[in-house]
Amino acid sequence: VTSLRSVDTDPLLLPWDRFSAWLHCICVVGFDLELGQAVEVQKMTTFVSSSCLAGCLGDTQFCFRFRQASGRKSSLGCFLDQFDRDAPVCLKRDQGHYYGYVYFRQVRDKSLKRGYFQKSLVLISKLPYVTFFHSLLKLVAPEYFEKQEPCLEAACNDIDRWPTPHPGKILVLPIMGTVMKVRIPTCYDKPGTSQLVQSTQVRMRIAVADTVPSLPLCRCFHPVFFHIQMLWELVLLGEALVVMAPSPAESSDTVLALVSCISPLRYCSDFRPYFTIHDNEFKEYTTRTQAPPSVILGVTNPFFAKTLQHWPHIIRIGDMKQAGETVKQMKVKKLKNLKTLDSKPGVYSAYKPFLNKDEDIIKQLQKGVQQKRPSAAQNAILRRYFLELTQSFIIPLERYVASLMPLQKNISPWKSPPQLRPFLQEDFMKTLEKAGPQLTSPLKGDWMGLYRQFLRCPNFDGWFRNRRREMMKKLEALHLEAVCEEVSNDESRGPSPRATLPGVPLN
């Protein structure tokens, strides 16, 4: 691959640095009748495959996620951190995990011993740009299956000429004779706005590197249509949750939709869009010797129906219908009912929601189904609902944390920067009486209980660590500003009189 690369004119970047800014590696995973799955080709680095094989004919795409081996650090870490600063929290580079974006092809082939051709092209990246990488695979994978390895070498060289991923900039990315035009969202964008960049250029493929707006939320939540608010609470609180789906594509789409429903709050627990018995954490996540960890698992193997039966919350979905089809209302079922492999679709949980059910959003979405409202409009309605619900919940926390910041008048150039005041749970709870979510949300219920539970979960810990880090940087900047201002004032006053000894005249 390296021999085909053109000379890079940027003196700050070494060969393949641009490639590494986007991808860790590209792999081809085949299926051998005797050995099972095996990595046949890998470009740029070593990769140990997770299970990437689906049980359906034709082409399918899905996503999985796995832990980074301890001790491994990217040589580009410091260089890439500057680009992460302006990215929304849900689109920041994942420090502890890799994402695997899969294009799997299975077709009948009588010449093969198994009777089928089964192979996956997998992109491994730290970037959670789900829609973007699936769009990239749609361009590269069909070409690879037709032209084999030389096609991957050409794709790698194209990617190594790309500009580095920079939020807010419109990036033009040539690939396989086509051009992808991408704008990565920033943390300064208005939440919920579309980030799609329009273009009329010939052979221009439009893509957006955003996880949240492009997910088909209505299609993903269609099988559990009447329980979206309860699912929002479960994700918000970091509850252990299993999605049992009929295919890897439906599994990964549903898990990613669940994680995105609390945006702009970042989901800080583990989540596996497609989890298999071959994953390294299989024993850790299926043991009955301790309570299930805070993680969302997406699975397809019927074996998990028995193995994960002790988990507190299980979503079982059948084949996803189109968002325009009606769905019957299903009650939340007790976990004891999930005892057979052919259990009906539904939500199995003993969880009692803190908030009263919002009937308005259900009626609004049902009306859209009856009137055959376009799926894009239905998605926008549901996305806005989740966004407003999360914002109503997080605004009181933002307001209280802002009050922990010292007053600017207390910042002195002659002293160290003052410390933030500690977060006191009871002080925060008192602020909810007059400045709680009731100011922005019509929903009734036990908001206080929901906050108490949230303050004990990883999502709060991750959110508060990030906010505290931002505020400390702000304090340091204000202190440095005060020091610079004092130095500037000293210089404008001129030099101070020279000290002299008594009886010794100045020269």
Side-chain angles (χ1 to χ4, degrees):
V1 177
T2 306
S3 62
L4 298 176
R5 184 190 175 280
S6 63
V7 179
D8 197 324
T9 57
D10 191 335
L12 299 178
L13 293 172
L14 297 173
W16 299 113
D17 275 355
R18 293 181 187 274
F19 179 96
S20 298
W22 291 91
L23 291 173
H24 182 64
C25 65
I26 300 178
C27 303
V28 176
V29 181
F31 186 85
D32 184 273
L33 186 60
E34 296 179 355
L35 300 177
Q37 59 186 16
V39 178
E40 298 178 355
V41 181
Q42 51 192 357
K43 299 296 183 185
M44 299 310 303
T45 189
T46 303
F47 164 63
V48 179
S49 169
S50 177
S51 180
C52 306
L53 296 176
C56 50
L57 285 173
D59 293 355
T60 186
Q61 289 186 256
F62 58 95
C63 169
F64 64 96
R65 186 170 177 263
F66 61 99
R67 287 179 187 167
Q68 175 180 322
S70 59
R72 290 182 63 95
K73 290 187 178 181
S74 170
S75 59
L76 289 173
C78 295
F79 172 72
L80 295 174
D81 282 347
Q82 61 178 311
F83 299 116
D84 250 4
R85 291 173 190 169
D86 293 334
V89 290
C90 58
L91 291 181
K92 289 186 183 295
R93 191 175 304 274
D94 199 316
Q95 299 300 324
H97 294 81
Y98 287 105
Y99 289 82
Y101 302 101
V102 182
Y103 192 106
F104 173 71
R105 174 168 289 184
Q106 177 173 272
V107 294
R108 296 184 187 277
D109 189 336
K110 294 181 180 180
S111 66
L112 298 177
K113 192 173 181 180
R114 188 177 176 85
Y116 292 94
F117 170 89
Q118 295 176 311
K119 193 166 288 189
S120 295
L121 185 64
V122 187
L123 307 180
I124 306 298
S125 177
K126 284 281 193 177
L127 299 171
Y129 300 169
V130 179
T131 305
F132 168 74
F133 283 116
H134 280 329
S135 298
L136 178 61
L137 274 170
K138 285 180 181 177
L139 290 172
V140 177
E143 288 284 316
Y144 164 72
F145 288 125
E146 181 181 343
K147 300 176 182 177
Q148 298 302 306
E149 192 168 336
C151 170
L152 292 188
E153 294 175 348
C156 288
N157 278 280
D158 283 343
I159 295 171
D160 195 44
R161 296 186 183 95
W162 287 2
T164 48
H166 197 296
K169 288 188 176 181
I170 296 176
L171 307 176
V172 178
L173 312 176
I175 185 74
M176 311 291 292
T178 303
V179 176
M180 301 181 75
K181 196 172 184 180
V182 175
R183 180 186 181 274
I184 302 171
T186 75
C187 57
Y188 311 110
D189 294 338
K190 182 179 178 181
T193 56
S194 174
Q195 310 299 333
L196 190 62
V197 180
Q198 300 297 328
S199 173
T200 57
Q201 297 185 33
V202 179
R203 292 184 61 76
M204 178 72 78
R205 171 75 62 130
I206 311 299
V208 57
D210 192 350
T211 307
V212 181
S214 302
L215 281 171
L217 293 183
C218 273
R219 184 172 64 83
C220 293
F221 286 117
H222 198 69
V224 288
F225 191 72
F226 294 90
H227 309 300
I228 53 174
Q229 187 179 315
M230 185 187 80
L231 296 178
W232 174 84
E233 285 193 23
L234 292 176
V235 176
L236 180 75
L237 300 177
E239 290 284 327
L241 186 62
V242 182
V243 175
M244 296 183 178
S247 74
E250 291 165 323
S251 167
S252 62
D253 281 353
T254 304
V255 171
L256 292 171
L258 285 167
V259 169
S260 75
C261 77
I262 62 169
S263 180
L265 191 66
R266 183 172 191 170
Y267 183 78
C268 295
S269 296
D270 195 5
F271 62 95
R272 303 300 177 92
Y274 178 46
F275 187 76
T276 76
I277 60 174
H278 301 291
D279 278 87
N280 292 334
E281 291 76 33
F282 174 75
K283 290 184 178 180
E284 175 186 341
Y285 286 167
T286 57
T287 180
R288 291 174 178 263
T289 60
Q290 58 188 26
S294 176
V295 61
I296 301 177
L297 297 183
V299 302
T300 60
N301 193 327
F303 176 73
F304 283 106
K306 182 177 181 180
T307 308
L308 299 179
Q309 190 176 342
H310 63 292
W311 277 47
H313 317 291
I314 298 174
I315 302 173
R316 187 163 192 122
I317 59 177
D319 292 326
M320 286 188 183
K321 300 178 181 179
Q322 295 298 319
E325 296 182 34
T326 57
V327 62
K328 295 181 180 179
Q329 180 168 358
M330 298 177 295
K331 293 182 179 180
V332 177
K333 304 169 187 178
K334 299 296 183 182
L335 285 169
K336 64 181 180 181
N337 294 333
L338 190 69
K339 290 189 175 181
T340 60
L341 298 182
D342 59 345
S343 296
K344 295 180 180 179
V347 178
Y348 295 80
S349 173
Y351 179 80
K352 183 179 179 181
F354 286 93
L355 304 181
N356 300 338
K357 180 176 284 191
D358 188 343
E359 299 290 348
D360 290 341
I361 184 63
I362 302 298
K363 292 177 181 178
Q364 191 176 4
L365 293 172
Q366 281 183 312
K367 185 177 180 181
V369 172
Q370 294 167 359
Q371 296 178 347
K372 297 183 178 180
R373 185 184 292 147
S375 58
Q378 289 281 83
N379 286 335
I381 291 171
L382 188 52
R383 193 178 304 122
R384 186 176 65 246
Y385 169 76
F386 282 136
L387 176 64
E388 291 176 352
L389 188 56
T390 303
Q391 286 181 325
S392 292
F393 182 82
I394 209 71
I395 285 173
L397 280 162
E398 291 278 6
R399 187 184 295 116
Y400 173 74
V401 168
S403 73
L404 305 180
M405 187 84 164
L407 298 176
Q408 191 162 355
K409 66 180 182 180
N410 295 331
I411 299 175
S412 168
W414 312 110
K415 299 178 181 179
S416 299
Q419 296 296 307
L420 296 174
R421 290 191 292 277
F423 187 106
L424 301 177
Q425 178 174 322
E426 292 308 314
D427 286 355
F428 164 69
M429 300 301 288
K430 290 176 182 177
T431 67
L432 297 177
E433 297 176 5
K434 294 183 178 180
Q438 69 274 11
L439 297 180
T440 53
S441 175
L443 287 181
K444 306 295 183 182
D446 185 10
W447 284 100
M448 302 283 277
L450 184 62
Y451 278 108
R452 289 188 186 278
Q453 189 78 4
F454 176 75
L455 295 178
R456 296 196 292 267
C457 84
N459 287 331
F460 167 73
D461 185 63
W463 172 82
F464 183 64
R465 284 175 182 269
N466 184 62
R467 290 292 291 117
R468 182 179 176 82
R469 186 163 51 248
E470 291 174 351
M471 293 168 69
M472 289 300 295
K473 287 182 179 178
K474 179 67 174 177
L475 268 178
E476 291 169 2
L478 290 172
H479 181 258
L480 181 59
E481 185 180 319
V483 171
C484 292
E485 185 176 347
E486 185 63 28
V487 171
S488 177
N489 290 339
D490 285 347
E491 290 176 348
S492 65
R493 287 193 289 265
S496 58
R498 292 170 58 187
T500 61
L501 293 173
V504 179
L506 289 171
N507 293 329

